[in-house]
Short mmCIF file of all heavy atoms in Angstrom, two decimals:
data_model
loop_
_atom_site.label_atom_id
_atom_site.label_comp_id
_atom_site.label_asym_id
_atom_site.label_seq_id
_atom_site.Cartn_x
_atom_site.Cartn_y
_atom_site.Cartn_z
N TYR A 778 24.59 -60.39 44.08
CA TYR A 778 24.28 -59.37 43.22
C TYR A 778 25.55 -58.62 42.75
O TYR A 778 26.55 -58.45 43.54
CB TYR A 778 23.34 -58.22 43.88
CG TYR A 778 21.98 -58.76 44.27
CD1 TYR A 778 21.82 -59.55 45.43
CD2 TYR A 778 20.87 -58.59 43.43
CE1 TYR A 778 20.59 -59.98 45.75
CE2 TYR A 778 19.60 -59.08 43.81
CZ TYR A 778 19.45 -59.82 44.94
OH TYR A 778 18.23 -60.20 45.38
N PHE A 779 25.59 -58.19 41.47
CA PHE A 779 26.76 -57.36 40.96
C PHE A 779 26.33 -56.15 40.22
O PHE A 779 25.39 -56.13 39.36
CB PHE A 779 27.45 -58.31 40.02
CG PHE A 779 28.86 -57.75 39.55
CD1 PHE A 779 29.86 -57.68 40.40
CD2 PHE A 779 28.89 -57.18 38.28
CE1 PHE A 779 31.12 -57.27 39.98
CE2 PHE A 779 30.15 -56.62 37.84
CZ PHE A 779 31.31 -56.66 38.68
N ASP A 780 26.73 -54.99 40.74
CA ASP A 780 26.34 -53.76 40.26
C ASP A 780 24.75 -53.57 40.22
O ASP A 780 24.19 -53.00 39.35
CB ASP A 780 26.81 -53.40 38.85
CG ASP A 780 28.34 -53.12 38.97
OD1 ASP A 780 28.79 -52.78 39.95
OD2 ASP A 780 28.95 -53.21 37.79
N GLY A 781 24.10 -54.07 41.33
CA GLY A 781 22.74 -54.01 41.54
C GLY A 781 21.90 -55.02 40.81
O GLY A 781 20.64 -55.03 40.96
N ASN A 782 22.50 -55.91 40.03
CA ASN A 782 21.87 -56.90 39.17
C ASN A 782 22.01 -58.22 39.76
O ASN A 782 23.09 -58.67 40.24
CB ASN A 782 22.33 -56.84 37.79
CG ASN A 782 22.12 -55.54 37.13
OD1 ASN A 782 20.94 -54.97 37.15
ND2 ASN A 782 23.08 -55.08 36.46
N LEU A 783 20.87 -59.06 39.85
CA LEU A 783 20.91 -60.32 40.48
C LEU A 783 21.69 -61.31 39.56
O LEU A 783 21.59 -61.33 38.29
CB LEU A 783 19.52 -60.89 40.58
CG LEU A 783 19.29 -62.31 41.10
CD1 LEU A 783 19.89 -62.48 42.44
CD2 LEU A 783 17.86 -62.75 40.98
N LEU A 784 22.64 -62.05 40.15
CA LEU A 784 23.41 -63.13 39.40
C LEU A 784 22.87 -64.50 39.64
O LEU A 784 22.13 -64.78 40.62
CB LEU A 784 24.84 -63.12 39.97
CG LEU A 784 25.62 -61.84 39.77
CD1 LEU A 784 27.06 -62.03 40.42
CD2 LEU A 784 25.72 -61.42 38.35
N ASP A 785 22.98 -65.41 38.63
CA ASP A 785 22.56 -66.77 38.79
C ASP A 785 23.47 -67.39 39.92
O ASP A 785 24.69 -67.48 39.79
CB ASP A 785 22.85 -67.49 37.60
CG ASP A 785 21.78 -67.13 36.44
OD1 ASP A 785 20.69 -66.58 36.81
OD2 ASP A 785 22.18 -67.19 35.21
N THR A 786 22.82 -67.70 41.01
CA THR A 786 23.58 -68.26 42.20
C THR A 786 23.24 -69.65 42.39
O THR A 786 22.05 -70.06 42.48
CB THR A 786 23.08 -67.40 43.43
OG1 THR A 786 23.28 -65.98 43.16
CG2 THR A 786 24.01 -67.69 44.71
N TYR A 787 24.33 -70.38 42.54
CA TYR A 787 24.28 -71.86 42.90
C TYR A 787 24.43 -71.99 44.33
O TYR A 787 25.34 -71.47 45.05
CB TYR A 787 25.36 -72.56 42.10
CG TYR A 787 25.46 -73.96 42.53
CD1 TYR A 787 24.57 -75.03 42.16
CD2 TYR A 787 26.46 -74.40 43.51
CE1 TYR A 787 24.64 -76.31 42.51
CE2 TYR A 787 26.51 -75.68 43.86
CZ TYR A 787 25.67 -76.65 43.47
OH TYR A 787 25.79 -78.02 43.78
N VAL A 788 23.49 -72.82 44.95
CA VAL A 788 23.54 -73.05 46.35
C VAL A 788 23.87 -74.58 46.56
O VAL A 788 23.18 -75.37 46.00
CB VAL A 788 22.20 -72.73 47.09
CG1 VAL A 788 22.20 -73.05 48.50
CG2 VAL A 788 21.80 -71.12 46.80
N ASN A 789 24.86 -74.85 47.44
CA ASN A 789 25.24 -76.32 47.67
C ASN A 789 24.39 -76.74 48.93
O ASN A 789 24.74 -76.50 50.00
CB ASN A 789 26.59 -76.31 48.01
CG ASN A 789 27.26 -77.69 48.02
OD1 ASN A 789 26.66 -78.62 48.53
ND2 ASN A 789 28.56 -77.87 47.49
N ILE A 790 23.23 -77.42 48.51
CA ILE A 790 22.42 -77.95 49.50
C ILE A 790 22.97 -79.05 50.40
O ILE A 790 22.75 -79.10 51.58
CB ILE A 790 21.12 -78.38 48.76
CG1 ILE A 790 20.42 -77.22 48.08
CG2 ILE A 790 20.08 -78.94 49.79
CD1 ILE A 790 19.25 -77.63 47.21
N GLU A 791 23.79 -79.80 49.80
CA GLU A 791 24.48 -80.87 50.57
C GLU A 791 25.34 -80.28 51.67
O GLU A 791 25.23 -80.81 52.85
CB GLU A 791 25.39 -81.73 49.63
CG GLU A 791 26.13 -82.83 50.22
CD GLU A 791 27.00 -83.64 49.35
OE1 GLU A 791 26.93 -83.43 48.21
OE2 GLU A 791 27.82 -84.43 49.83
N HIS A 792 26.05 -79.27 51.49
CA HIS A 792 26.90 -78.66 52.38
C HIS A 792 26.03 -78.00 53.50
O HIS A 792 26.25 -77.98 54.74
CB HIS A 792 27.85 -77.62 51.91
CG HIS A 792 29.03 -78.30 51.16
ND1 HIS A 792 30.03 -77.48 50.47
CD2 HIS A 792 29.37 -79.59 50.94
CE1 HIS A 792 30.91 -78.41 49.92
NE2 HIS A 792 30.52 -79.52 50.20
N LEU A 793 24.90 -77.34 53.03
CA LEU A 793 23.96 -76.71 54.05
C LEU A 793 23.39 -77.79 54.92
O LEU A 793 23.22 -77.55 56.14
CB LEU A 793 22.95 -75.89 53.32
CG LEU A 793 23.38 -74.48 52.79
CD1 LEU A 793 22.32 -73.88 51.93
CD2 LEU A 793 23.88 -73.63 53.99
N ASP A 794 22.98 -78.90 54.34
CA ASP A 794 22.37 -79.99 55.19
C ASP A 794 23.30 -80.51 56.20
O ASP A 794 23.03 -80.78 57.37
CB ASP A 794 21.92 -81.09 54.27
CG ASP A 794 20.68 -80.69 53.45
OD1 ASP A 794 19.97 -79.75 53.87
OD2 ASP A 794 20.32 -81.36 52.47
N TYR A 795 24.55 -80.57 55.74
CA TYR A 795 25.72 -81.09 56.75
C TYR A 795 25.73 -80.14 57.89
O TYR A 795 25.76 -80.53 59.05
CB TYR A 795 26.98 -81.28 55.93
CG TYR A 795 28.12 -81.61 56.92
CD1 TYR A 795 28.29 -83.01 57.33
CD2 TYR A 795 28.90 -80.63 57.48
CE1 TYR A 795 29.35 -83.29 58.21
CE2 TYR A 795 29.94 -81.03 58.40
CZ TYR A 795 30.11 -82.29 58.77
OH TYR A 795 31.10 -82.57 59.66
N LEU A 796 25.85 -78.80 57.68
CA LEU A 796 25.94 -77.88 58.64
C LEU A 796 24.80 -77.89 59.56
O LEU A 796 24.83 -77.75 60.76
CB LEU A 796 26.15 -76.51 58.05
CG LEU A 796 27.54 -76.24 57.37
CD1 LEU A 796 27.50 -74.80 56.67
CD2 LEU A 796 28.71 -76.33 58.34
N GLY A 797 23.56 -78.03 58.98
CA GLY A 797 22.26 -78.17 59.82
C GLY A 797 22.37 -79.39 60.69
O GLY A 797 21.86 -79.23 61.90
N SER A 798 22.87 -80.46 60.24
CA SER A 798 22.86 -81.65 61.04
C SER A 798 24.03 -81.70 62.07
O SER A 798 23.90 -82.52 63.08
CB SER A 798 22.89 -82.87 60.19
OG SER A 798 24.08 -82.88 59.41
N HIS A 799 25.01 -80.78 61.94
CA HIS A 799 26.05 -80.82 62.79
C HIS A 799 26.16 -79.41 63.51
O HIS A 799 27.33 -78.87 63.64
CB HIS A 799 27.44 -81.19 62.14
CG HIS A 799 27.43 -82.49 61.62
ND1 HIS A 799 26.85 -82.94 60.51
CD2 HIS A 799 28.05 -83.59 62.13
CE1 HIS A 799 27.11 -84.19 60.30
NE2 HIS A 799 27.88 -84.64 61.28
N ALA A 800 24.99 -78.84 63.71
CA ALA A 800 24.93 -77.45 64.16
C ALA A 800 25.71 -77.22 65.44
O ALA A 800 26.45 -76.27 65.55
CB ALA A 800 23.46 -76.97 64.33
N TYR A 801 25.55 -78.19 66.41
CA TYR A 801 26.23 -77.83 67.77
C TYR A 801 27.81 -77.99 67.62
O TYR A 801 28.49 -77.33 68.24
CB TYR A 801 25.61 -78.84 68.75
CG TYR A 801 24.23 -78.41 69.22
CD1 TYR A 801 23.18 -79.09 68.69
CD2 TYR A 801 24.03 -77.32 70.12
CE1 TYR A 801 21.88 -78.65 69.06
CE2 TYR A 801 22.79 -76.93 70.49
CZ TYR A 801 21.64 -77.55 69.98
OH TYR A 801 20.47 -77.24 70.30
N GLU A 802 28.22 -78.96 66.79
CA GLU A 802 29.62 -79.16 66.57
C GLU A 802 30.09 -77.80 65.87
O GLU A 802 31.25 -77.29 66.16
CB GLU A 802 29.95 -80.19 65.70
CG GLU A 802 29.41 -81.62 66.27
CD GLU A 802 29.68 -82.72 65.30
OE1 GLU A 802 30.69 -82.61 64.49
OE2 GLU A 802 29.01 -83.66 65.34
N TYR A 803 29.41 -77.41 64.99
CA TYR A 803 29.78 -76.19 64.16
C TYR A 803 29.77 -74.92 65.03
O TYR A 803 30.73 -74.16 65.15
CB TYR A 803 28.76 -75.92 63.03
CG TYR A 803 28.94 -74.65 62.24
CD1 TYR A 803 30.13 -74.35 61.55
CD2 TYR A 803 27.90 -73.73 62.38
CE1 TYR A 803 30.20 -73.04 60.87
CE2 TYR A 803 27.94 -72.43 61.70
CZ TYR A 803 29.00 -72.17 60.93
OH TYR A 803 29.20 -70.89 60.41
N LEU A 804 28.68 -74.70 65.78
CA LEU A 804 28.66 -73.57 66.71
C LEU A 804 29.74 -73.48 67.75
O LEU A 804 30.22 -72.48 68.15
CB LEU A 804 27.24 -73.51 67.35
CG LEU A 804 26.09 -73.17 66.41
CD1 LEU A 804 24.82 -73.28 67.20
CD2 LEU A 804 26.21 -71.83 65.79
N SER A 805 30.19 -74.71 68.19
CA SER A 805 31.21 -74.72 69.17
C SER A 805 32.50 -74.17 68.72
O SER A 805 33.40 -73.89 69.47
CB SER A 805 31.37 -76.18 69.67
OG SER A 805 31.87 -76.97 68.65
#
Side-chain angles (χ1 to χ4, degrees):
Y778 295 84
F779 188 74
D780 286 342
N782 299 310
L783 176 64
L784 299 178
D785 290 333
T786 304
Y787 169 80
V788 179
N789 193 319
I790 298 176
E791 180 182 350
H792 286 179
L793 282 174
D794 287 342
Y795 175 84
L796 291 175
S798 61
H799 296 77
Y801 287 99
E802 299 176 30
Y803 168 68
L804 292 175
S805 66

